[in-house]
């Protein structure tokens, strides 16, 4: 019997319970990454991601859009996780790789490169050769949502993918940088349900927030760092600057044992 096996026939990808029943069966991150791309559990998100993949943006009219759920990206033994919001309609929904092909991805990867956690400062497409060092990028919602706003129901339906990914990464994971309040609010229940002890008062998101969840079982202490999301709105207004983002990842790299900037 596979881990977390459940009784009954396997769920169809368009069943609302597909993530809840299928994600726990994944034995490793590679299987999870493959299975998540089959999901059709949220009709509104399916319709939107597929419409965008056909209509396209004029600048990308020659692209064949991915148009499916987007798996996490990065090594499967990462010490540092990065949790965002959801794929961008003309970013990861086009390229098929998390935080790729849009201004948010450019801003994020440039900071990772500056800290020594990425092989190159740009992320244009899935075949650009980008490698991440000890870092895995993921999101609570795996399909591009209209206006970048998933509903609470869509967030909750998608949660099992993130929960299983965090569970599979647990042996190596030491730090999670959460980009934005949406990701923060989505991640805390995942960690609580995984047996992590949260503070008596629910931690509040903020840029620079730092919460340490104590070790439990075989899992070591886990550091949560809050950071403004590198959305175009935040970066164009100066709410989040490149030095601010680099500072967060410098701190995260140190806590995760990934100090690489000096070689």
């Amino acid at each position: 019997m596979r881990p977390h096996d459940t009784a009954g026939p396997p769920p169809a990808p368009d069943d609302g319970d597909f993530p809840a029943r299928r994600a726990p069966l994944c034995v490793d991150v590679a299987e999870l990454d493959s299975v998540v791309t089959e999901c059709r559990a949220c009709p509104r998100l399916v319709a939107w991601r597929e419409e965008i993949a056909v209509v396209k943006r004029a600048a990308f009219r020659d692209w064949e859009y991915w148009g499916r759920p987007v798996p996490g990206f990065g090594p499967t033994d990462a010490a540092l996780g990065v949790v965002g919001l959801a794929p961008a309609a003309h970013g990861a929904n086009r390229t098929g790789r998390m935080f790729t092909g849009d201004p948010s991805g450019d801003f994020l990867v440039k900071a990772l490169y500056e800290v020594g956690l990425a092989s190159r400062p740009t992320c244009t497409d899935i075949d650009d050769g980008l490698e991440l060092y000890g870092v895995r990028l993921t999101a609570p919602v795996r399909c591009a949502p209209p206006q970048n706003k998933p509903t609470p129901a869509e967030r909750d339906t998608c949660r099992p993918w993130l929960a299983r990914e965090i569970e599979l990464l647990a042996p190596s994971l030491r730090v999670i940088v959460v980009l934005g309040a949406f990701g923060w609010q989505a991640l805390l229940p995942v960690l609580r349900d995984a047996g992590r002890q949260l503070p008596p008062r629910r931690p509040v998101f903020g840029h620079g927030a730092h919460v340490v969840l104590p070790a439990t079982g075989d899992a070591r202490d886990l550091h949560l760092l809050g950071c403004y999301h590198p959305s175009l709105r935040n970066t164009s207004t100066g709410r989040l600057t490149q030095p601010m983002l680099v500072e967060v990842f410098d701190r995260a790299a140190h806590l995760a044992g990934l100090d690489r900037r000096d070689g």
Side-chain angles (χ1 to χ4, degrees):
M1 181 176 291
R2 297 166 62 146
H4 306 278
D5 207 356
T6 57
D14 57 355
D15 287 348
D17 66 348
F18 181 73
R21 292 180 57 194
R22 189 62 183 86
L25 300 178
C26 295
V27 298
D28 54 33
V29 174
E31 182 181 7
L32 183 77
D33 287 349
S34 176
V35 172
V36 73
T37 67
E38 303 171 7
C39 188
R40 302 179 62 83
C42 299
R44 187 182 79 113
L45 297 187
V46 171
W48 175 253
R49 80 191 191 208
E50 293 181 354
E51 177 185 349
I52 290 297
V54 172
V55 175
K56 305 182 181 181
R57 179 174 282 171
F60 305 123
R61 62 182 178 273
D62 296 329
W63 276 77
E64 181 177 347
Y65 274 51
W66 173 256
R68 290 184 276 166
V70 181
F73 170 61
T76 60
D77 59 351
L80 170 56
V82 180
V83 174
L85 193 162
H90 301 282
N93 189 56
R94 171 173 58 92
T95 67
R97 191 177 71 190
M98 197 67 70
F99 278 108
T100 299
D102 70 321
S104 292
D106 292 340
F107 205 85
L108 174 64
V109 171
K110 184 178 179 181
L112 292 174
Y113 176 78
E114 180 71 19
V115 178
L117 300 177
S119 63
R120 50 183 288 155
T122 58
C123 53
T124 57
D125 62 82
I126 203 166
D127 296 316
D128 60 13
L130 174 66
E131 293 183 59
L132 301 180
Y133 305 128
V135 180
R136 185 167 175 87
L137 310 180
T138 190
V141 176
R142 303 306 175 100
C143 294
Q147 299 180 325
N148 287 326
K149 294 182 179 179
T151 67
E154 289 163 349
R155 175 202 62 201
D156 294 346
T157 296
C158 205
R159 181 176 292 158
W161 301 122
L162 179 63
R164 185 61 177 148
E165 187 168 15
I166 295 296
E167 183 180 16
L168 291 168
L169 292 171
S172 60
L173 198 61
R174 299 175 65 179
V175 181
I176 300 178
V177 173
V178 188
L179 304 174
F182 183 93
W184 186 269
Q185 294 162 3
L187 179 63
L188 291 180
V190 167
L191 298 175
R192 178 200 62 211
D193 293 346
R196 287 288 185 173
Q197 182 181 344
L198 300 182
R201 297 185 64 180
R202 186 183 180 93
V204 177
F205 172 78
H207 186 83
H210 183 189
V211 180
V212 182
L213 305 184
T216 176
D218 294 332
R220 62 187 75 188
D221 287 353
L222 183 65
H223 297 260
L224 303 186
L225 300 181
C227 178
Y228 291 142
H229 192 285
S231 65
L232 188 58
R233 176 181 296 179
N234 284 341
T235 58
S236 64
T237 60
R239 189 183 193 207
L240 179 67
T241 65
Q242 192 67 211
M244 289 170 64
L245 190 57
V246 168
E247 182 180 14
V248 169
F249 279 108
D250 252 336
R251 187 180 187 189
H254 175 70
L255 291 169
L258 296 172
D259 299 290
R260 298 180 57 98
R261 192 195 290 239
D262 298 325

